[in-house]
Amino acid sequence: MAKRLLKGAEAIGEAAIAAGCKAYFCYPITPQTEVAEYLARRMPESGGAFLQAESEIGAANMLFGAAATGARVFTTSSSPGISLMQEAISYITAAQLPVVFVNIIRSGPGLGGILPAQSDYFQATRGGGHGDYRTIVLAPATIQEAVDMTMDAFDLADKYRNPVMVVGDGLIGQMMEPVEFPENYKPRTVDSSSWRTDGARGREPHLIKTLYLDPQQCDDLNNVLAKKYETITANEQKWEDWHQDEDYEVLVVSYGTMSRICKTAIEDLAEEGLKVGLLRPISLYPFPYDAVARAAVKDHVNTVISIEMSMGQMVEDVEMAVQGKKPVKFFGRAVGIVPTPEEVATAIRDLGRS
Amino acid sequence: MAKRLLKGAEAIGEAAIAAGCKAYFCYPITPQTEVAEYLARRMPESGGAFLQAESEIGAANMLFGAAATGARVFTTSSSPGISLMQEAISYITAAQLPVVFVNIIRSGPGLGGILPAQSDYFQATRGGGHGDYRTIVLAPATIQEAVDMTMDAFDLADKYRNPVMVVGDGLIGQMMEPVEFPENYKPRTVDSSSWRTDGARGREPHLIKTLYLDPQQCDDLNNVLAKKYETITANEQKWEDWHQDEDYEVLVVSYGTMSRICKTAIEDLAEEGLKVGLLRPISLYPFPYDAVARAAVKDHVNTVISIEMSMGQMVEDVEMAVQGKKPVKFFGRAVGIVPTPEEVATAIRDLGRS
Amino acid sequence: MAKRLLKGAEAIGEAAIAAGCKAYFCYPITPQTEVAEYLARRMPESGGAFLQAESEIGAANMLFGAAATGARVFTTSSSPGISLMQEAISYITAAQLPVVFVNIIRSGPGLGGILPAQSDYFQATRGGGHGDYRTIVLAPATIQEAVDMTMDAFDLADKYRNPVMVVGDGLIGQMMEPVEFPENYKPRTVDSSSWRTDGARGREPHLIKTLYLDPQQCDDLNNVLAKKYETITANEQKWEDWHQDEDYEVLVVSYGTMSRICKTAIEDLAEEGLKVGLLRPISLYPFPYDAVARAAVKDHVNTVISIEMSMGQMVEDVEMAVQGKKPVKFFGRAVGIVPTPEEVATAIRDLGRS
Amino acid sequence: MAKRLLKGAEAIGEAAIAAGCKAYFCYPITPQTEVAEYLARRMPESGGAFLQAESEIGAANMLFGAAATGARVFTTSSSPGISLMQEAISYITAAQLPVVFVNIIRSGPGLGGILPAQSDYFQATRGGGHGDYRTIVLAPATIQEAVDMTMDAFDLADKYRNPVMVVGDGLIGQMMEPVEFPENYKPRTVDSSSWRTDGARGREPHLIKTLYLDPQQCDDLNNVLAKKYETITANEQKWEDWHQDEDYEVLVVSYGTMSRICKTAIEDLAEEGLKVGLLRPISLYPFPYDAVARAAVKDHVNTVISIEMSMGQMVEDVEMAVQGKKPVKFFGRAVGIVPTPEEVATAIRDLGRS
């Protein structure tokens, strides 16, 4: 298929439709309202439902109900909106339903600002809601990846009957880049007939619930979930190794649009003679601990730096990966001011030497 | 002062009043509705306000508004209710306001059950809301500690103009134990006249806001917050070292009511000849990394075990503390079935040897 | 078309679909939840949208938005639910949008009970919301009429760009009667292209609003509405004259299911020799003042009785019609206890003589 | 007591406090937000509670709950806000609780505008909510009357355990006039110990409810209410006869600020030689039917004119009062443009002659 020049927000919307999404529930919030605008037109055209709810809480609980029917459903929002959905995300996870969330992170906390940030890393990867649960988290660095990962997100949600979150920032939402949609795409849907609530004609009713007053049932659920997360951890780690064929002295770990800036900085540093490798986590949960460990423990590495548009969140995962074998440092800003390649290069130079 | 036999929920309510709390906003949820029942009567008697809001979202935003006046305010809730407050908590932190939250954790995710759990550890310590922020988190193991920490929570909230969360479980909420309230107690209030909104008579208005469309202002806020968390990390780590005078082979890290069960198990194991030390984090954020590291790296220690009523959450902090210097293991349940001392002893025996 | 035996609630739902209704927004409330159950299945089958909102307020405001697109839309509810919609009804009227409401009245006030009543007469005919507006109100007495009037309601709403309310009671909602749907039915839709908001491609945008801070514009709107209500009053009065060929001494005015009981009572009284005529208002707004006046002023009439399942509401309209020319009396109950024909006959006998 | 120059909104707030009001729940809406501003400061000073709720629905249901304790409570709002309260008003009436509502009417329907209007007459006098109920409605024409009637409203609410509504318009809310508060005022409170829910220590619990699934109980309630409204109708009609000592040819019926303009117009017409009498209803429910009838039927009267800032609402009550004995005409505007004395004089001259 020929490439099309699309804005990130539109590309995400179109990807959801291509993945067979049948319902989109939302509440507008900058900087991703364009997804809603786009889908207000496109969902009905494609035979799906578009609904702007009364609030993010309403939207999230509509996702809960709609997913229970076995349909592919999703929403997009931005940081404060995603915070309002935390209770529902915990419920959806407990009910083992497939729902895709896209968070175009804005700078926080509070209302903050609309400029790019990565400061919802903890919320996404540790679960901002209550209880022992996880959501699979994918972090695209380009519009093409935003398309591909949105489509993958639906497949993963189906496969594991678990929420999947795609996290980007304002750049992902607002940039235009050429994208390609796969031809003859077939979503890897999973047969939901054993659990979905689509009318119990000729069979026993399916009950979807999250209340388990019997401790043993609650225990059972938590063990099922824990096993699921083990499987996800074993199978779904994704990352990119970049520039690692060289004997890099510094390993940078960075994801999303931040990693693109790091690549420019690393190329600049290479010209100066400082060899820097990059490991880009693509799945933030499950975090690619082993890949980071492998890339970090090599003899030629003397420092590992987590570079984030947040004040030090992914660095904890990096530390857990590196297990004290190399010094782990951090460079980041939470501000909504995207660091320039020059700033990043300076930070790598300084931290790599110290 | 003479000891009084009080239920945990009542003790927490009375502690808030003793600490000078002037407003309590809530929405009822088991297993801590007794706090609301108690304060419905006691707040007015003590000259304070009691208000049951329309929802947890309402309650949390009322806390936001009331704290802006410089008054001591708090709420109590349980897991799903706390999830609903995540957006507001992020706002309150961005606005730098002192608010005390008590979370009597129930088993989750979803509606789950009302039995004890510790599965909101990530939510509490990493911030379930969006943005780079932290709440100070205190974990009492007895009703007396629940009283003392609730009172401390108000002081810490004032001192740092930051939310403080006290996390317990249904046992803390429902048990009765003798408690003592300090005589002639003086809350360590901090002068709020420089920021509170109490009518701008004769001075410039104070503006409390969280929207920073100017990136530089947003950056400034995040740097102020980051500095604050450094100070909190430096000054406010609290923990208990227990049984560590012996040459313990296994170090258990456990908090809250779970740690009480561990103590019984450790005493039983001592009779068998297995020496086990316990480090009990009292502040979960800031986590006592250095104390755990010190207790773990001793030559006689061969294993560190994080024992939790969750499926593996605090164990990440233990790993970050131990930095690969000793094997870190995990034993836990998320279920709402509190493990017995015998189960815990078996787990320690098995994991300590493996 | 052959007659089908249908429950009132289903018949109303099917009639809306036959009339080309494209969206149904609701919140369940006894005794009419069966309409929602029926349409949850039938709306999607007929290419329309079914949506259970978060509340009656949500449903009513969704009607507001959906009607603005020119689509035929409706809701059904019962007394307390209709009260919650009063603000939205005032807005919809000010915006001059066609929306059909069905109120299956339950006994009130407050939560009351689910048994039949007619006690929302004032609310329906005077407008329970604020401002100078009216809704056309139709009152079926049989399931066949419920079908016909629901279909007419859509045509009238379109014709006048004004809400139309169909009022029934639990008997209308729950009874089964044979009904016939017209063959080759063509809804009398009205071209909405001059005002609907369906995307302003190639034309000036249409603005639908109800805020008029400019007094002259607000005055203009109110004059447009007043003229509209004059036209409606002139053209849309509907009623049934029954048993009036005889020289009746008493004129009964009664509507809805109450009128069916009156007919039985009147037939019984005829056997005793008391001649009683019945005028049944079919449109409650516009009230058939002239028809009632004509039927009341005849020489052989000595008393006019308003018989209602309410405590005296329609009787005011009857008094305004009769203008003091004959004594106007009232018999009714608000209770949810439907009077028997015997009770009604006794009341007519007593009041007709007094 | 000396006269104080007060704005209407403040005067109403102060009157509520003087009447012993202990809680005010509100949601801001122009043109009466000043009442909330004033009471935000004054309620706490006077030992009462001020609470801005999440919505008018929240505020109205808080009134329901608070009134159940026997406390004097009230709210103020404006047209759309009052529409949102209709369900709660029906519940409060069914529960037989004393609550005072003040409606500073803005021009409608819909959002309309903030200029003065009287177009909520039907809503106030017929009950915009569902079921057979009535609220006592008082209509002040001056700030002094707004004070006196607000205080009376609390007494009437207590006396009849029924909502009382005071209706004004933006002029009443915004004008300043000198007002006097009674010295040594003693509210005529009524002992509520037989029904209030204040803790059932040492007695049977009081149950306040509005759900009556047993038809007989529902019937009983409606009969109790109907009897109450008969008593209110017999005892509480209030009106002013003005200029009626002359042999007026035209009788004007007008209330609130509109009546003040009528007085000026009537004085002007008197100079021309046209004798016009005025009857000003002070209680809109119960409407002073007999007083209007007495004033209208006099031989020298040839026309009765209802003059309203609405499009023809009170005129229905005037017609019911006059019973066809004289021609009843109407002059009014709903617009928010207050008619001038000259316009009114012209209307009287024209309608009086026709």
Side-chain angles (χ1 to χ4, degrees), chain A residues 44 64 76 208 294:
Chain A
F64 186 1
T76 62
I208 292 181
R294 274 193 307 272

Side-chain angles (χ1 to χ4, degrees), chain B residues 272-351:
Chain B
E272 300 181 13
L274 180 61
K275 291 181 180 171
V276 180
L278 173 77
L279 188 142
R280 172 167 75 97
I282 292 173
S283 61
L284 304 185
Y285 180 83
F287 189 79
Y289 289 109
D290 293 340
V292 171
R294 275 193 307 271
V297 297
K298 290 179 180 160
D299 287 344
H300 50 76
V301 176
N302 56 45
T303 309
V304 181
I305 311 176
S306 180
I307 300 188
E308 319 169 17
M309 286 194 287
S310 51
M311 298 303 271
Q313 301 195 15
M314 181 176 64
V315 65
E316 292 199 358
D317 280 324
V318 176
E319 276 194 42
M320 276 190 282
V322 176
Q323 290 275 320
K325 295 190 182 88
K326 304 279 166 151
V328 171
K329 304 199 175 149
F330 162 75
F331 173 71
R333 301 182 80 157
V335 59
I337 300 179
V338 179
T340 60
E342 291 70 33
E343 281 180 273
V344 172
T346 303
I348 294 172
R349 213 183 286 116
D350 293 353
L351 293 169

Side-chain angles (χ1 to χ4, degrees), chain B residues 24-35:
Chain B
Y24 171 78
F25 306 104
C26 65
Y27 191 81
I29 178 171
T30 308
Q32 59 75 53
T33 304
E34 291 87 348
V35 186

Side-chain angles (χ1 to χ4, degrees), chain C residues 160-173:
Chain C
Y160 295 106
R161 290 178 57 195
N162 201 74
V164 179
M165 187 170 283
V166 178
V167 296
D169 57 42
L171 293 176
I172 291 290

Side-chain angles (χ1 to χ4, degrees), chain D:
Chain D
M1 190 188 273
K3 294 215 172 193
R4 297 158 62 184
L5 190 65
L6 280 183
K7 201 173 177 177
E10 296 172 346
I12 289 167
E14 197 59 38
I17 290 173
C21 175
K22 286 298 169 212
Y24 171 78
F25 306 105
C26 65
Y27 192 79
I29 178 170
T30 307
Q32 59 75 53
T33 303
E34 291 87 348
V35 186
E37 282 176 18
Y38 183 78
L39 289 175
R41 180 166 60 79
R42 285 288 292 138
M43 285 302 289
E45 284 176 7
S46 73
F50 169 92
L51 196 137
Q52 179 179 324
E54 289 182 32
S55 66
E56 283 90 350
I57 297 158
N61 284 289
M62 288 173 182
L63 290 168
F64 186 179
T69 68
R72 291 194 151 188
V73 300
F74 95 127
T75 193
T76 62
S77 188
S78 178
S79 307
I82 296 289
S83 290
L84 285 167
M85 296 181 181
Q86 291 305 324
E87 189 213 24
I89 293 175
S90 174
Y91 281 56
I92 291 167
T93 313
Q96 300 202 73
L97 294 177
V99 176
V100 173
F101 294 84
V102 176
N103 181 7
I104 301 299
I105 301 173
R106 48 189 275 170
S107 51
L111 279 171
I114 59 171
L115 289 169
Q118 298 184 319
S119 42
D120 301 353
Y121 183 93
F122 276 149
Q123 185 190 55
T125 61
R126 264 67 177 173
H130 59 287
D132 281 286
Y133 75 92
R134 299 284 196 154
T135 51
I136 297 173
V137 184
L138 305 178
T142 63
I143 307 302
Q144 181 66 54
E145 282 192 354
V147 165
D148 297 343
M149 290 185 196
T150 298
M151 295 169 81
D152 283 349
F154 283 96
D155 291 345
L156 287 168
D158 265 14
K159 181 173 175 188
Y160 294 106
R161 290 178 56 193
N162 201 74
V164 178
M165 187 170 285
V166 178
V167 296
D169 57 42
L171 292 177
I172 291 291
Q174 304 293 331
M175 269 190 308
M176 295 190 91
E177 289 186 338
V179 295
E180 201 169 11
F181 284 83
E183 278 184 88
N184 304 319
Y185 180 73
K186 289 230 182 72
R188 295 187 298 276
T189 50
V190 175
D191 181 21
S192 60
S193 61
S194 64
W195 58 264
R196 69 173 180 245
T197 54
D198 55 355
R201 279 174 290 274
R203 62 162 173 79
E204 287 299 295
H206 294 150
L207 177 61
I208 292 181
K209 66 163 191 175
T210 72
L211 181 67
Y212 289 100
L213 292 177
D214 173 352
Q216 192 53 55
Q217 287 187 359
C218 194
D219 193 45
D220 291 347
L221 170 66
N222 274 293
N223 285 323
V224 165
L225 293 180
K227 279 228 154 32
K228 181 195 292 190
Y229 299 133
E230 274 175 34
T231 310
I232 289 172
T233 298
N235 296 344
E236 306 297 344
Q237 295 179 27
K238 289 199 184 65
W239 69 93
E240 177 193 15
D241 287 321
W242 188 82
H243 245 254
Q244 292 185 11
D245 42 358
E246 304 169 46
D247 291 346
Y248 53 91
E249 300 160 50
V250 176
L251 175 68
V252 163
V253 184
S254 190
Y255 70 97
T257 52
M258 187 70 242
S259 68
R260 295 173 70 163
I261 298 159
C262 289
K263 287 180 180 178
T264 306
I266 288 169
E267 284 171 341
D268 292 348
L269 289 167
E271 290 178 20
E272 297 181 15
L274 180 61
K275 293 180 179 171
V276 180
L278 174 77
L279 188 142
R280 173 167 75 97
I282 291 172
S283 62
L284 303 186
Y285 179 85
F287 188 80
Y289 288 110
D290 294 339
V292 170
R294 275 194 307 270
V297 298
K298 291 177 180 160
D299 287 344
H300 50 76
V301 176
N302 56 45
T303 309
V304 180
I305 312 177
S306 180
I307 299 188
E308 319 170 18
M309 285 193 287
S310 51
M311 299 303 272
Q313 301 196 17
M314 181 176 65
V315 66
E316 293 199 357
D317 279 324
V318 176
E319 277 195 41
M320 276 190 282
V322 176
Q323 291 273 322
K325 295 190 182 88
K326 303 280 166 149
V328 172
K329 304 199 176 150
F330 162 74
F331 173 71
R333 301 182 82 155
V335 58
I337 300 180
V338 180
T340 60
E342 290 70 34
E343 282 182 273
V344 172
T346 303
I348 294 173
R349 212 183 287 115
D350 292 354
L351 292 169
R353 267 172 204 158
S354 60

Side-chain angles (χ1 to χ4, degrees), chain B residues 27-62:
Chain B
Y27 191 81
I29 178 171
T30 308
Q32 59 75 53
T33 304
E34 291 87 348
V35 186
E37 282 177 17
Y38 183 77
L39 289 176
R41 179 166 59 79
R42 284 288 291 137
M43 285 302 290
E45 284 176 7
S46 74
F50 169 92
L51 195 137
Q52 179 178 325
E54 289 181 33
S55 67
E56 284 90 350
I57 296 159
N61 284 290
M62 287 173 183

Side-chain angles (χ1 to χ4, degrees), chain C residues 6-303:
Chain C
L6 279 182
K7 199 173 177 175
E10 296 172 347
I12 288 167
E14 198 58 37
I17 289 174
C21 175
K22 286 300 170 212
Y24 171 78
F25 306 104
C26 66
Y27 192 81
I29 178 170
T30 307
Q32 59 76 52
T33 303
E34 291 86 348
V35 186
E37 281 176 19
Y38 183 78
L39 289 175
R41 179 167 60 80
R42 285 287 291 138
M43 286 300 290
E45 284 176 9
S46 73
F50 169 91
L51 197 139
Q52 179 179 324
E54 290 181 32
S55 66
E56 285 89 350
I57 296 159
N61 284 290
M62 288 173 182
L63 291 168
F64 185 0
T69 69
R72 290 194 151 188
V73 301
F74 96 126
T75 193
T76 63
S77 188
S78 178
S79 306
I82 297 290
S83 291
L84 284 167
M85 295 180 180
Q86 292 305 324
E87 190 213 22
I89 293 175
S90 174
Y91 281 55
I92 290 167
T93 313
Q96 299 201 71
L97 294 176
V99 175
V100 173
F101 294 83
V102 177
N103 180 8
I104 301 298
I105 300 172
R106 50 189 277 170
S107 51
L111 279 170
I114 61 171
L115 290 168
Q118 297 182 320
S119 42
D120 301 352
Y121 183 92
F122 277 148
Q123 186 190 55
T125 61
R126 265 67 178 172
H130 59 287
D132 280 286
Y133 75 92
R134 299 286 197 153
T135 52
I136 297 174
V137 184
L138 305 177
T142 65
I143 307 302
Q144 182 65 55
E145 281 192 354
V147 165
D148 298 342
M149 290 185 197
T150 298
M151 294 169 81
D152 285 348
F154 283 96
D155 292 345
L156 288 168
D158 266 13
K159 183 173 175 189
Y160 295 106
R161 290 178 57 195
N162 201 74
V164 179
M165 187 170 283
V166 178
V167 296
D169 57 42
L171 293 176
I172 291 290
Q174 305 292 330
M175 269 190 309
M176 296 190 90
E177 290 186 337
V179 294
E180 203 169 10
F181 283 83
E183 277 184 89
N184 305 319
Y185 179 74
K186 288 229 183 69
R188 296 186 298 276
T189 51
V190 175
D191 180 20
S192 61
S193 60
S194 64
W195 58 265
R196 70 175 180 243
T197 54
D198 56 355
R201 280 175 289 274
R203 61 162 174 78
E204 288 297 296
H206 294 149
L207 177 61
I208 293 181
K209 67 163 191 173
T210 71
L211 180 66
Y212 290 99
L213 292 178
D214 173 352
Q216 191 54 53
Q217 288 189 358
C218 195
D219 192 46
D220 291 348
L221 170 66
N222 273 295
N223 284 324
V224 165
L225 293 179
K227 281 228 150 31
K228 180 194 290 190
Y229 300 132
E230 274 175 34
T231 310
I232 289 172
T233 298
N235 295 344
E236 305 297 344
Q237 295 179 28
K238 291 199 184 66
W239 68 92
E240 178 193 13
D241 285 322
W242 189 82
H243 245 256
Q244 294 185 10
D245 42 359
E246 305 170 44
D247 292 345
Y248 53 91
E249 301 159 51
V250 176
L251 175 68
V252 164
V253 184
S254 190
Y255 70 96
T257 52
M258 188 68 243
S259 68
R260 295 172 71 162
I261 298 160
C262 288
K263 287 180 180 178
T264 305
I266 288 169
E267 285 170 338
D268 293 348
L269 288 168
E271 292 178 18
E272 300 181 12
L274 180 61
K275 292 182 180 170
V276 180
L278 174 77
L279 188 141
R280 172 167 75 97
I282 292 173
S283 61
L284 303 186
Y285 179 84
F287 188 80
Y289 288 110
D290 293 340
V292 171
R294 275 194 306 272
V297 296
K298 292 178 179 161
D299 287 344
H300 50 76
V301 176
N302 56 43
T303 309

